[in-house]
Amino acid sequence: MAPLPDGFSYAEWNATYNGLSFGIAAMGSATIFFWLQLPNVTKSYRTALTITGIVTLIATYHYIRIFNSWSEAFTVASKDGGDYEVKLTGAPFNDGYRYVDWLLTVPLLLIELILVMKLPQEETVSLSWKLGLASALMVALGYPGEIQEDLSVRWFWWCLSMIPFCYVVFTLAVGLAESTSKQPSPAAASLVSAARYLTVLSWCTYPFVYMVKSVGLAGPAATMYEQVGYSIADVMAKAVFGVLIWAIASEKSAVEESGKLLPK
């Protein structure tokens, strides 16, 4: 990764510090919640809910690593009783943890959605492979541009990563519409639709945050906006999305259980 720019104000440093801390708290508490809810859904949906917890657990680990790396890259101290002064320690800030995280969690996010929809087995396997590989390719193509300072190189890799990105977004927004309408209850269909569109919405923030350093912003401000933007997008795409996965599993479990209890 490129060295951090010098000249961070305390407000810029603190915003990033708090954004990363928020990511740890949101992902960690979500993991506990999802796994505590496993006994409350039927067996058919426990795999999806387990994967949901794995996603937020992986994210919690990587956010701790990013947070620690950020803290180690700076010293913050009050000078002569005045404002806090932020200085670089010379230690590297390793933001590559984000891409390791995304390479693992982004395919799993899509797989958990496919699993909770309970599609026919052949369609489930096919979509899981296609969407999982496309999303992993998207992350892999984005990383070379992320570590470049040359704007033309950043734009080149951004354009390449947008190819699998557009395929996944199109599949979520259009390709799964018919399957959504076949859910066992209107509430389940509505929740699945919400999960699909939340994924599309949260995913669309990533390309824009990626472009922060390509549209005239530079230095500490660009780094702050990038780190805070990615943190908010991650919480939406993983923790909040996971709550929808749990809600879908809970609703469909209730529908299936009520069907079994109906008199014959």
Side-chain angles (χ1 to χ4, degrees), residues 26-27 30 34 56 195 198 232 234-246:
M27 301 297 186
F34 298 144
T56 49
L198 174 64
I232 294 171
D234 274 349
V235 170
M236 293 294 294
K238 295 170 186 172
V240 177
F241 175 78
V243 171
L244 282 175
I245 294 296
W246 161 75

Side-chain angles (χ1 to χ4, degrees), residues 154-231:
R154 286 181 66 86
W155 279 111
F156 172 77
W157 288 106
W158 182 87
C159 291
L160 284 183
S161 66
M162 288 300 292
I163 296 172
F165 172 87
C166 290
Y167 166 74
V168 173
V169 168
F170 177 82
T171 302
L172 289 171
V174 179
L176 291 176
E178 184 179 351
S179 298
T180 301
S181 65
K182 295 178 181 177
Q183 295 301 302
S185 73
S190 177
L191 287 166
V192 170
S193 182
R196 286 167 48 222
Y197 288 113
L198 174 64
T199 304
V200 171
L201 178 64
S202 61
W203 275 36
C204 284
T205 63
Y206 289 98
F208 289 104
V209 175
Y210 186 98
M211 290 189 294
V212 161
K213 293 179 179 177
S214 305
V215 292
L217 283 175
T223 300
M224 177 197 70
Y225 285 124
E226 183 179 58
Q227 294 302 318
V228 173
Y230 279 148
S231 298

Side-chain angles (χ1 to χ4, degrees), residues 120-139:
Q121 184 176 1
E122 185 177 345
E123 187 178 0
T124 296
V125 173
S126 175
L127 279 171
S128 295
W129 275 106
K130 289 177 182 177
L131 295 179
L133 289 174
S135 60
L137 180 62
M138 174 191 71
V139 174

Side-chain angles (χ1 to χ4, degrees), residues 145-156:
E146 186 70 70
I147 61 176
Q148 295 291 329
E149 294 297 318
D150 188 322
L151 294 185
S152 62
V153 176
R154 286 181 66 86
W155 279 111
F156 172 77

Side-chain angles (χ1 to χ4, degrees), residues 65-86:
R65 298 301 299 269
I66 297 169
F67 178 86
N68 288 341
S69 184
W70 181 260
S71 299
E72 292 165 2
F74 298 91
T75 58
V76 182
S78 177
K79 186 177 180 180
D80 300 326
D83 291 339
Y84 287 102
E85 188 176 39
V86 180

